[in-house]
Amino acid sequence: MSLRKLAGAAAVAGIAALAFQGSALAQDKTFITIGTGGPTGVYFVAGNSICRMLALVEGVGRSGDQFRQHGIRCAAPSSAGSTYNIGQVSEGEFQFGVVQSDWQFHSVNGSKPDRVTSNPDLRAVFSLHPEPYQIVVGADSGINSWSDLLGKRFNIGNPGSGQRGTSEELLEAFGNSNADFSAVTELTSSEQAGALCDGNIDAFGYTVGFPNGGVAQATDGCDARIINLTEDEVAALVNDNPFYSFATIPAGTYSSLTDDVTTFGVRATFITSADVSDDVVYELTRAVFENLDTFRGLHPAFSVLTKEGMIVDGLSAPLHAGAERYYREVGLIN
Ligand code: GLU
């Protein structure tokens, strides 16, 4: 056989092998996408850490009883945030999403159809870290409270983000509207810190776990501060809504944080749809819970997580049947 024919035959064999492997793969694998948030937030780390736990337990190329050949292939791209993730999960574009507990509640109850897709088939898997709503203000902005913010340039967050909706709820609670600010911007979580440090905005509202890179870029980067939110209007929000609570960001979390900050906040939660298969949700839940120590080590915001807390805190949608199967099996629920 000539060299050229040999190369041709090898290429054909190669293609045939690839095609065979491709179809074998397609039969065994399940592809899932987890909706997260901006690349400098905690959701992005959360989604990718969950994917990592799935890969860890599968142990591709290794053998042993501890490995589970679940065949789940997981991706967790950055996204616009909570309400976008709920919309995508509702349409079957994403199988899972990290979302704020307030938007989980409003989606499954259909109580804010103008702010989040109503979806009675939304299902809870577990909850994650606390997320205080933080108003981060410029070092020399002179802003120390909500009333100081009026007349200033305020970033309420990009459409699709959780903080966008929560900012709007807060505005409403104070009886304010966009007209009460000199400018209202819609920058993403990865744009807002730079805009604050460059003096293009005076403040931004961000619902996010701590510490995180996005807030650090503003606090450690240009001495931005986080203000207290303890007004009666905030207390009323906390009293009237099961998904809000008061939260403290301890002094020292960022270099400019010399005192504790008190504000209100939500929980990050992990959701799916009743349409996603029980086996996939079971394997994912199991992978995270059986390796919770490893998972906790992947971001400082996760250090507070406990198994008992994760199956109740901030969850308002029914548990997905696959998650419930795992929790029952290990005795976390009866
Ligand atoms: N809470 C934000 C949202 O719902 C995302 C925070 C993060 O990326 O960690 O959009």
PDB file of all heavy atoms in Angstrom, residues 36-38 40-44 80-83 85 98-100 103 129 131 158 160-164 189 206-209 212 266, ligand 1:
ATOM      1  N   THR A  36     -25.764  30.418  36.538  1.00  0.00           N
ATOM      2  CA  THR A  36     -25.067  30.996  37.700  1.00  0.00           C
ATOM      3  C   THR A  36     -25.312  32.507  37.749  1.00  0.00           C
ATOM      4  O   THR A  36     -26.448  32.951  37.745  1.00  0.00           O
ATOM      5  CB  THR A  36     -23.565  30.642  37.665  1.00  0.00           C
ATOM      6  OG1 THR A  36     -22.941  31.260  36.534  1.00  0.00           O
ATOM      7  CG2 THR A  36     -23.348  29.138  37.606  1.00  0.00           C
ATOM      8  N   GLY A  37     -24.246  33.286  37.818  1.00  0.00           N
ATOM      9  CA  GLY A  37     -24.349  34.744  37.864  1.00  0.00           C
ATOM     10  C   GLY A  37     -23.134  35.326  37.168  1.00  0.00           C
ATOM     11  O   GLY A  37     -22.506  34.648  36.350  1.00  0.00           O
ATOM     12  N   GLY A  38     -22.771  36.543  37.518  1.00  0.00           N
ATOM     13  CA  GLY A  38     -21.613  37.187  36.892  1.00  0.00           C
ATOM     14  C   GLY A  38     -20.316  36.494  37.281  1.00  0.00           C
ATOM     15  O   GLY A  38     -20.255  35.842  38.332  1.00  0.00           O
ATOM     16  N   THR A  40     -17.602  37.465  38.585  1.00  0.00           N
ATOM     17  CA  THR A  40     -16.900  37.842  39.820  1.00  0.00           C
ATOM     18  C   THR A  40     -17.730  37.559  41.074  1.00  0.00           C
ATOM     19  O   THR A  40     -17.306  37.880  42.181  1.00  0.00           O
ATOM     20  CB  THR A  40     -16.513  39.344  39.828  1.00  0.00           C
ATOM     21  OG1 THR A  40     -17.711  40.122  39.623  1.00  0.00           O
ATOM     22  CG2 THR A  40     -15.520  39.670  38.730  1.00  0.00           C
ATOM     23  N   GLY A  41     -18.913  36.954  40.910  1.00  0.00           N
ATOM     24  CA  GLY A  41     -19.780  36.667  42.057  1.00  0.00           C
ATOM     25  C   GLY A  41     -19.520  35.294  42.642  1.00  0.00           C
ATOM     26  O   GLY A  41     -18.540  34.612  42.288  1.00  0.00           O
ATOM     27  N   VAL A  42     -20.419  34.871  43.533  1.00  0.00           N
ATOM     28  CA  VAL A  42     -20.272  33.575  44.207  1.00  0.00           C
ATOM     29  C   VAL A  42     -21.052  32.477  43.463  1.00  0.00           C
ATOM     30  O   VAL A  42     -20.675  31.308  43.491  1.00  0.00           O
ATOM     31  CB  VAL A  42     -20.726  33.680  45.689  1.00  0.00           C
ATOM     32  CG1 VAL A  42     -20.486  32.366  46.422  1.00  0.00           C
ATOM     33  CG2 VAL A  42     -19.983  34.808  46.402  1.00  0.00           C
ATOM     34  N   TYR A  43     -22.131  32.863  42.767  1.00  0.00           N
ATOM     35  CA  TYR A  43     -22.924  31.852  42.046  1.00  0.00           C
ATOM     36  C   TYR A  43     -22.071  31.097  41.027  1.00  0.00           C
ATOM     37  O   TYR A  43     -22.241  29.898  40.822  1.00  0.00           O
ATOM     38  CB  TYR A  43     -24.089  32.504  41.287  1.00  0.00           C
ATOM     39  CG  TYR A  43     -25.268  32.939  42.105  1.00  0.00           C
ATOM     40  CD1 TYR A  43     -25.200  33.033  43.485  1.00  0.00           C
ATOM     41  CD2 TYR A  43     -26.465  33.262  41.482  1.00  0.00           C
ATOM     42  CE1 TYR A  43     -26.297  33.453  44.221  1.00  0.00           C
ATOM     43  CE2 TYR A  43     -27.575  33.676  42.206  1.00  0.00           C
ATOM     44  CZ  TYR A  43     -27.486  33.775  43.579  1.00  0.00           C
ATOM     45  OH  TYR A  43     -28.573  34.183  44.288  1.00  0.00           O
ATOM     46  N   PHE A  44     -21.204  31.855  40.372  1.00  0.00           N
ATOM     47  CA  PHE A  44     -20.355  31.230  39.345  1.00  0.00           C
ATOM     48  C   PHE A  44     -19.477  30.150  39.990  1.00  0.00           C
ATOM     49  O   PHE A  44     -19.336  29.049  39.443  1.00  0.00           O
ATOM     50  CB  PHE A  44     -19.510  32.318  38.671  1.00  0.00           C
ATOM     51  CG  PHE A  44     -18.708  31.830  37.508  1.00  0.00           C
ATOM     52  CD1 PHE A  44     -19.331  31.383  36.352  1.00  0.00           C
ATOM     53  CD2 PHE A  44     -17.314  31.800  37.559  1.00  0.00           C
ATOM     54  CE1 PHE A  44     -18.579  30.917  35.268  1.00  0.00           C
ATOM     55  CE2 PHE A  44     -16.567  31.344  36.480  1.00  0.00           C
ATOM     56  CZ  PHE A  44     -17.201  30.905  35.334  1.00  0.00           C
ATOM     57  N   ALA A  80     -26.876  36.072  33.536  1.00  0.00           N
ATOM     58  CA  ALA A  80     -27.377  37.360  34.033  1.00  0.00           C
ATOM     59  C   ALA A  80     -27.782  37.291  35.500  1.00  0.00           C
ATOM     60  O   ALA A  80     -27.852  38.309  36.168  1.00  0.00           O
ATOM     61  CB  ALA A  80     -28.564  37.818  33.186  1.00  0.00           C
ATOM     62  N   GLY A  81     -28.065  36.085  36.031  1.00  0.00           N
ATOM     63  CA  GLY A  81     -28.405  35.951  37.444  1.00  0.00           C
ATOM     64  C   GLY A  81     -29.738  35.262  37.693  1.00  0.00           C
ATOM     65  O   GLY A  81     -30.311  34.615  36.806  1.00  0.00           O
ATOM     66  N   SER A  82     -30.230  35.429  38.919  1.00  0.00           N
ATOM     67  CA  SER A  82     -31.377  34.682  39.451  1.00  0.00           C
ATOM     68  C   SER A  82     -32.614  34.597  38.561  1.00  0.00           C
ATOM     69  O   SER A  82     -33.091  33.505  38.265  1.00  0.00           O
ATOM     70  CB  SER A  82     -31.862  35.320  40.753  1.00  0.00           C
ATOM     71  OG  SER A  82     -31.069  34.962  41.816  1.00  0.00           O
ATOM     72  N   THR A  83     -33.163  35.745  38.195  1.00  0.00           N
ATOM     73  CA  THR A  83     -34.454  35.681  37.512  1.00  0.00           C
ATOM     74  C   THR A  83     -34.271  35.176  36.083  1.00  0.00           C
ATOM     75  O   THR A  83     -35.145  34.503  35.545  1.00  0.00           O
ATOM     76  CB  THR A  83     -35.210  37.027  37.559  1.00  0.00           C
ATOM     77  OG1 THR A  83     -34.374  38.060  37.047  1.00  0.00           O
ATOM     78  CG2 THR A  83     -35.610  37.363  38.985  1.00  0.00           C
ATOM     79  N   ASN A  85     -32.028  32.886  35.380  1.00  0.00           N
ATOM     80  CA  ASN A  85     -31.876  31.435  35.560  1.00  0.00           C
ATOM     81  C   ASN A  85     -33.233  30.750  35.710  1.00  0.00           C
ATOM     82  O   ASN A  85     -33.453  29.664  35.157  1.00  0.00           O
ATOM     83  CB  ASN A  85     -31.016  31.132  36.794  1.00  0.00           C
ATOM     84  CG  ASN A  85     -29.591  31.627  36.640  1.00  0.00           C
ATOM     85  OD1 ASN A  85     -29.126  31.874  35.516  1.00  0.00           O
ATOM     86  ND2 ASN A  85     -28.887  31.797  37.745  1.00  0.00           N
ATOM     87  N   VAL A  98     -28.763  28.597  40.190  1.00  0.00           N
ATOM     88  CA  VAL A  98     -28.568  29.173  41.515  1.00  0.00           C
ATOM     89  C   VAL A  98     -29.427  30.426  41.529  1.00  0.00           C
ATOM     90  O   VAL A  98     -29.322  31.254  40.607  1.00  0.00           O
ATOM     91  CB  VAL A  98     -27.084  29.527  41.778  1.00  0.00           C
ATOM     92  CG1 VAL A  98     -26.890  29.897  43.249  1.00  0.00           C
ATOM     93  CG2 VAL A  98     -26.156  28.392  41.385  1.00  0.00           C
ATOM     94  N   VAL A  99     -30.296  30.552  42.534  1.00  0.00           N
ATOM     95  CA  VAL A  99     -31.234  31.684  42.551  1.00  0.00           C
ATOM     96  C   VAL A  99     -31.466  32.161  43.982  1.00  0.00           C
ATOM     97  O   VAL A  99     -31.398  31.376  44.925  1.00  0.00           O
ATOM     98  CB  VAL A  99     -32.600  31.332  41.894  1.00  0.00           C
ATOM     99  CG1 VAL A  99     -32.411  30.674  40.542  1.00  0.00           C
ATOM    100  CG2 VAL A  99     -33.481  30.473  42.770  1.00  0.00           C
ATOM    101  N   GLN A 100     -31.790  33.428  44.116  1.00  0.00           N
ATOM    102  CA  GLN A 100     -32.098  33.987  45.426  1.00  0.00           C
ATOM    103  C   GLN A 100     -33.412  33.399  45.956  1.00  0.00           C
ATOM    104  O   GLN A 100     -34.359  33.176  45.189  1.00  0.00           O
ATOM    105  CB  GLN A 100     -32.259  35.503  45.337  1.00  0.00           C
ATOM    106  CG  GLN A 100     -30.964  36.224  45.031  1.00  0.00           C
ATOM    107  CD  GLN A 100     -31.122  37.727  44.914  1.00  0.00           C
ATOM    108  OE1 GLN A 100     -30.266  38.378  44.331  1.00  0.00           O
ATOM    109  NE2 GLN A 100     -32.205  38.303  45.454  1.00  0.00           N
ATOM    110  N   TRP A 103     -36.699  35.110  44.911  1.00  0.00           N
ATOM    111  CA  TRP A 103     -37.207  34.848  43.553  1.00  0.00           C
ATOM    112  C   TRP A 103     -37.686  33.409  43.389  1.00  0.00           C
ATOM    113  O   TRP A 103     -38.589  33.135  42.605  1.00  0.00           O
ATOM    114  CB  TRP A 103     -36.183  35.285  42.499  1.00  0.00           C
ATOM    115  CG  TRP A 103     -35.928  36.738  42.702  1.00  0.00           C
ATOM    116  CD1 TRP A 103     -34.760  37.335  43.060  1.00  0.00           C
ATOM    117  CD2 TRP A 103     -36.918  37.796  42.681  1.00  0.00           C
ATOM    118  NE1 TRP A 103     -34.949  38.676  43.261  1.00  0.00           N
ATOM    119  CE2 TRP A 103     -36.269  38.988  43.040  1.00  0.00           C
ATOM    120  CE3 TRP A 103     -38.282  37.844  42.419  1.00  0.00           C
ATOM    121  CZ2 TRP A 103     -36.935  40.211  43.121  1.00  0.00           C
ATOM    122  CZ3 TRP A 103     -38.958  39.058  42.498  1.00  0.00           C
ATOM    123  CH2 TRP A 103     -38.287  40.218  42.844  1.00  0.00           C
ATOM    124  N   HIS A 129     -25.312  29.555  50.485  1.00  0.00           N
ATOM    125  CA  HIS A 129     -24.840  30.584  51.411  1.00  0.00           C
ATOM    126  C   HIS A 129     -25.833  31.738  51.594  1.00  0.00           C
ATOM    127  O   HIS A 129     -26.658  31.983  50.714  1.00  0.00           O
ATOM    128  CB  HIS A 129     -23.523  31.139  50.878  1.00  0.00           C
ATOM    129  CG  HIS A 129     -23.630  31.597  49.442  1.00  0.00           C
ATOM    130  ND1 HIS A 129     -23.681  30.731  48.375  1.00  0.00           N
ATOM    131  CD2 HIS A 129     -23.756  32.835  48.912  1.00  0.00           C
ATOM    132  CE1 HIS A 129     -23.817  31.418  47.256  1.00  0.00           C
ATOM    133  NE2 HIS A 129     -23.857  32.695  47.544  1.00  0.00           N
ATOM    134  N   GLU A 131     -26.959  35.610  51.453  1.00  0.00           N
ATOM    135  CA  GLU A 131     -26.616  36.717  50.552  1.00  0.00           C
ATOM    136  C   GLU A 131     -27.212  38.022  51.064  1.00  0.00           C
ATOM    137  O   GLU A 131     -28.370  38.334  50.779  1.00  0.00           O
ATOM    138  CB  GLU A 131     -27.215  36.487  49.169  1.00  0.00           C
ATOM    139  CG  GLU A 131     -26.723  35.310  48.406  1.00  0.00           C
ATOM    140  CD  GLU A 131     -27.225  35.420  46.967  1.00  0.00           C
ATOM    141  OE1 GLU A 131     -28.345  34.974  46.698  1.00  0.00           O
ATOM    142  OE2 GLU A 131     -26.502  35.994  46.131  1.00  0.00           O
ATOM    143  N   ASN A 158     -28.357  44.672  36.432  1.00  0.00           N
ATOM    144  CA  ASN A 158     -28.829  44.330  35.080  1.00  0.00           C
ATOM    145  C   ASN A 158     -30.140  43.557  35.154  1.00  0.00           C
ATOM    146  O   ASN A 158     -30.365  42.808  36.102  1.00  0.00           O
ATOM    147  CB  ASN A 158     -27.769  43.490  34.344  1.00  0.00           C
ATOM    148  CG  ASN A 158     -27.469  42.188  35.057  1.00  0.00           C
ATOM    149  OD1 ASN A 158     -26.852  42.183  36.120  1.00  0.00           O
ATOM    150  ND2 ASN A 158     -27.934  41.075  34.512  1.00  0.00           N
ATOM    151  N   GLY A 160     -32.550  40.600  34.851  1.00  0.00           N
ATOM    152  CA  GLY A 160     -32.226  39.167  34.960  1.00  0.00           C
ATOM    153  C   GLY A 160     -31.452  38.841  36.222  1.00  0.00           C
ATOM    154  O   GLY A 160     -31.378  37.690  36.628  1.00  0.00           O
ATOM    155  N   SER A 161     -30.859  39.865  36.846  1.00  0.00           N
ATOM    156  CA  SER A 161     -30.115  39.596  38.084  1.00  0.00           C
ATOM    157  C   SER A 161     -31.079  39.602  39.262  1.00  0.00           C
ATOM    158  O   SER A 161     -32.125  40.252  39.217  1.00  0.00           O
ATOM    159  CB  SER A 161     -29.025  40.650  38.303  1.00  0.00           C
ATOM    160  OG  SER A 161     -29.586  41.916  38.606  1.00  0.00           O
ATOM    161  N   GLY A 162     -30.687  38.919  40.318  1.00  0.00           N
ATOM    162  CA  GLY A 162     -31.507  38.917  41.520  1.00  0.00           C
ATOM    163  C   GLY A 162     -31.543  40.289  42.164  1.00  0.00           C
ATOM    164  O   GLY A 162     -32.580  40.748  42.649  1.00  0.00           O
ATOM    165  N   GLN A 163     -30.368  40.971  42.177  1.00  0.00           N
ATOM    166  CA  GLN A 163     -30.317  42.283  42.836  1.00  0.00           C
ATOM    167  C   GLN A 163     -31.174  43.312  42.126  1.00  0.00           C
ATOM    168  O   GLN A 163     -31.659  44.259  42.752  1.00  0.00           O
ATOM    169  CB  GLN A 163     -28.881  42.808  42.976  1.00  0.00           C
ATOM    170  CG  GLN A 163     -28.089  42.912  41.705  1.00  0.00           C
ATOM    171  CD  GLN A 163     -27.304  41.638  41.448  1.00  0.00           C
ATOM    172  OE1 GLN A 163     -27.537  40.628  42.107  1.00  0.00           O
ATOM    173  NE2 GLN A 163     -26.401  41.663  40.501  1.00  0.00           N
ATOM    174  N   ARG A 164     -31.400  43.137  40.823  1.00  0.00           N
ATOM    175  CA  ARG A 164     -32.258  44.083  40.117  1.00  0.00           C
ATOM    176  C   ARG A 164     -33.667  44.067  40.729  1.00  0.00           C
ATOM    177  O   ARG A 164     -34.226  45.103  41.067  1.00  0.00           O
ATOM    178  CB  ARG A 164     -32.306  43.721  38.628  1.00  0.00           C
ATOM    179  CG  ARG A 164     -33.336  44.497  37.838  1.00  0.00           C
ATOM    180  CD  ARG A 164     -33.107  46.009  37.993  1.00  0.00           C
ATOM    181  NE  ARG A 164     -33.983  46.731  37.101  1.00  0.00           N
ATOM    182  CZ  ARG A 164     -33.654  47.064  35.856  1.00  0.00           C
ATOM    183  NH1 ARG A 164     -32.467  46.751  35.372  1.00  0.00           N
ATOM    184  NH2 ARG A 164     -34.497  47.714  35.100  1.00  0.00           N
ATOM    185  N   SER A 189     -22.916  42.873  37.381  1.00  0.00           N
ATOM    186  CA  SER A 189     -22.105  42.770  38.599  1.00  0.00           C
ATOM    187  C   SER A 189     -20.614  42.865  38.293  1.00  0.00           C
ATOM    188  O   SER A 189     -19.838  43.274  39.150  1.00  0.00           O
ATOM    189  CB  SER A 189     -22.425  41.474  39.334  1.00  0.00           C
ATOM    190  OG  SER A 189     -22.203  40.363  38.502  1.00  0.00           O
ATOM    191  N   TYR A 206     -26.196  45.194  45.464  1.00  0.00           N
ATOM    192  CA  TYR A 206     -25.743  43.866  45.016  1.00  0.00           C
ATOM    193  C   TYR A 206     -26.127  42.842  46.088  1.00  0.00           C
ATOM    194  O   TYR A 206     -25.755  42.998  47.253  1.00  0.00           O
ATOM    195  CB  TYR A 206     -24.224  43.923  44.837  1.00  0.00           C
ATOM    196  CG  TYR A 206     -23.553  42.754  44.126  1.00  0.00           C
ATOM    197  CD1 TYR A 206     -24.270  41.821  43.392  1.00  0.00           C
ATOM    198  CD2 TYR A 206     -22.169  42.609  44.187  1.00  0.00           C
ATOM    199  CE1 TYR A 206     -23.618  40.776  42.735  1.00  0.00           C
ATOM    200  CE2 TYR A 206     -21.510  41.570  43.533  1.00  0.00           C
ATOM    201  CZ  TYR A 206     -22.248  40.663  42.815  1.00  0.00           C
ATOM    202  OH  TYR A 206     -21.591  39.636  42.169  1.00  0.00           O
ATOM    203  N   THR A 207     -26.872  41.835  45.696  1.00  0.00           N
ATOM    204  CA  THR A 207     -27.202  40.745  46.611  1.00  0.00           C
ATOM    205  C   THR A 207     -26.181  39.643  46.367  1.00  0.00           C
ATOM    206  O   THR A 207     -26.195  39.021  45.301  1.00  0.00           O
ATOM    207  CB  THR A 207     -28.605  40.172  46.307  1.00  0.00           C
ATOM    208  OG1 THR A 207     -29.465  41.210  45.863  1.00  0.00           O
ATOM    209  CG2 THR A 207     -29.185  39.480  47.509  1.00  0.00           C
ATOM    210  N   VAL A 208     -25.314  39.399  47.323  1.00  0.00           N
ATOM    211  CA  VAL A 208     -24.215  38.467  47.048  1.00  0.00           C
ATOM    212  C   VAL A 208     -23.586  37.962  48.340  1.00  0.00           C
ATOM    213  O   VAL A 208     -23.582  38.659  49.359  1.00  0.00           O
ATOM    214  CB  VAL A 208     -23.161  39.174  46.137  1.00  0.00           C
ATOM    215  CG1 VAL A 208     -22.461  40.316  46.870  1.00  0.00           C
ATOM    216  CG2 VAL A 208     -22.148  38.186  45.555  1.00  0.00           C
ATOM    217  N   GLY A 209     -23.086  36.745  48.302  1.00  0.00           N
ATOM    218  CA  GLY A 209     -22.379  36.164  49.448  1.00  0.00           C
ATOM    219  C   GLY A 209     -21.059  36.896  49.685  1.00  0.00           C
ATOM    220  O   GLY A 209     -20.553  37.579  48.797  1.00  0.00           O
ATOM    221  N   ASN A 212     -16.442  38.366  48.413  1.00  0.00           N
ATOM    222  CA  ASN A 212     -16.417  38.011  46.989  1.00  0.00           C
ATOM    223  C   ASN A 212     -15.610  39.034  46.218  1.00  0.00           C
ATOM    224  O   ASN A 212     -15.431  40.170  46.664  1.00  0.00           O
ATOM    225  CB  ASN A 212     -17.838  37.881  46.434  1.00  0.00           C
ATOM    226  CG  ASN A 212     -18.478  39.225  46.266  1.00  0.00           C
ATOM    227  OD1 ASN A 212     -18.225  39.923  45.292  1.00  0.00           O
ATOM    228  ND2 ASN A 212     -19.271  39.625  47.239  1.00  0.00           N
ATOM    229  N   VAL A 266     -31.079  37.531  51.751  1.00  0.00           N
ATOM    230  CA  VAL A 266     -31.754  36.305  51.326  1.00  0.00           C
ATOM    231  C   VAL A 266     -30.752  35.150  51.409  1.00  0.00           C
ATOM    232  O   VAL A 266     -29.642  35.339  51.893  1.00  0.00           O
ATOM    233  CB  VAL A 266     -32.281  36.451  49.870  1.00  0.00           C
ATOM    234  CG1 VAL A 266     -33.366  37.514  49.795  1.00  0.00           C
ATOM    235  CG2 VAL A 266     -31.158  36.765  48.892  1.00  0.00           C
TER     236      VAL A 266
HETATM  237  N1  GLU B   1     -27.610  37.236  43.817  1.00  0.00           N
HETATM  238  C1  GLU B   1     -27.165  37.547  42.491  1.00  0.00           C
HETATM  239  C2  GLU B   1     -28.265  37.239  41.503  1.00  0.00           C
HETATM  240  O1  GLU B   1     -29.221  36.618  41.862  1.00  0.00           O
HETATM  241  C3  GLU B   1     -25.910  36.812  42.065  1.00  0.00           C
HETATM  242  C4  GLU B   1     -24.824  36.818  43.075  1.00  0.00           C
HETATM  243  C5  GLU B   1     -23.610  36.016  42.649  1.00  0.00           C
HETATM  244  O2  GLU B   1     -23.293  35.986  41.465  1.00  0.00           O
HETATM  245  O3  GLU B   1     -22.981  35.426  43.534  1.00  0.00           O
HETATM  246  O4  GLU B   1     -28.218  37.582  40.366  1.00  0.00           O
END
